[in-house]
Amino acid sequence: MHSDRHIVNLALIGFMGTGKTSVGKIVAEHLHFEFIDTDELIHQRAGRTIAEIFARDGEAAFRQMERKLVEELSTRKKTVISTGGGLPTHPGNLDLLRSHSLVVCLWSSPEKIWERVGHQSHRPLLHDPDPQKKIKDLLAVREPFYKQADVLINTDIRSLREVAVQVVLQFKLATRP
Ligand code: S3P
């Protein structure tokens, strides 16, 4: 770990359907940290769902909201931050998160992602004639960003609880005195 970093939070990044929110809640409980989900916070503040924001204002406006939130979060402590799947791929967001958080990526294969999100309809980026191809294409573009995380955990082969245990362990290792 870089010695110039002061890790006081934990950020979960990764593609849609990798379990960031569920794992984040378990991890926050274990660490006695607060839990924040960027999508949820944007939804609450805008008074509109993410799908409505995409439909009405467009993706660029949503990315700006994410950016503003990431800036705001840099003053937080003892917080588990679960991020939207596209957040770390936009300029500067990952660096900013990294300045105060251990960044953990939850990784999944496109096949597993499809298994998990195929029956859900609230994600605007998957409102596509060929959502399975969209997942593969987006994942390929995002992979270099996700792989910049401090820790990468394969969620295909672990239950949510097992993933959470790994995340807690990694956080304790990274922050031990
Ligand atoms: C997005 C992922 C979603 C949400 C929005 C865009 C993305 O979050 O931020 O629909 O670009 O991958 P989840 O990863 O929590 O599904």
Side-chain angles (χ1 to χ4, degrees), residues 129-143:
D130 188 349
Q132 278 179 279
K133 181 173 183 309
K134 183 77 188 263
I135 290 172
K136 276 200 177 124
D137 292 349
L138 262 182
L139 193 58
V141 171
R142 292 176 173 183
E143 183 171 346

Side-chain angles (χ1 to χ4, degrees), residues 68-105:
K68 238 181 103 211
L69 192 53
V70 168
E71 283 169 8
E72 196 186 309
L73 290 176
S74 57
T75 60
R76 295 205 67 104
K77 289 189 174 63
K78 291 185 169 240
T79 304
V80 174
I81 304 163
S82 167
T83 62
L87 185 146
T89 69
H90 284 261
N93 285 349
L94 200 49
D95 281 343
L96 217 72
L97 285 177
R98 212 198 304 276
S99 67
H100 54 80
S101 295
L102 182 76
V103 179
V104 177
C105 175

Side-chain angles (χ1 to χ4, degrees), residues 49-51 116-128:
T49 65
I50 305 298
R116 293 179 185 144
V117 304
H119 62 285
Q120 300 174 340
S121 61
H122 63 279
R123 293 180 173 95
L125 289 178
L126 300 181
H127 299 164
D128 191 272

Side-chain angles (χ1 to χ4, degrees), residues 24 28-29 31-36 76-81:
E29 215 177 292
L31 295 174
H32 304 290
F33 275 23
E34 202 179 321
F35 174 76
I36 276 182
R76 295 205 67 104
K77 289 189 174 63
K78 291 185 169 240
T79 304
V80 174
I81 304 163

Side-chain angles (χ1 to χ4, degrees), residues 1-2 5 7 9-10 27 31 33 102 104 150-151 153 164-177:
M1 201 59 53
H2 315 282
R5 280 172 66 191
I7 295 172
N9 300 311
L10 188 138
V27 170
L31 295 174
F33 275 23
L102 182 76
V104 177
D150 298 305
V151 179
I153 298 178
V165 167
Q166 288 301 318
V167 175
V168 170
L169 186 71
Q170 293 294 333
F171 187 78
K172 288 189 172 162
L173 281 174
T175 55
R176 77 190 151 178

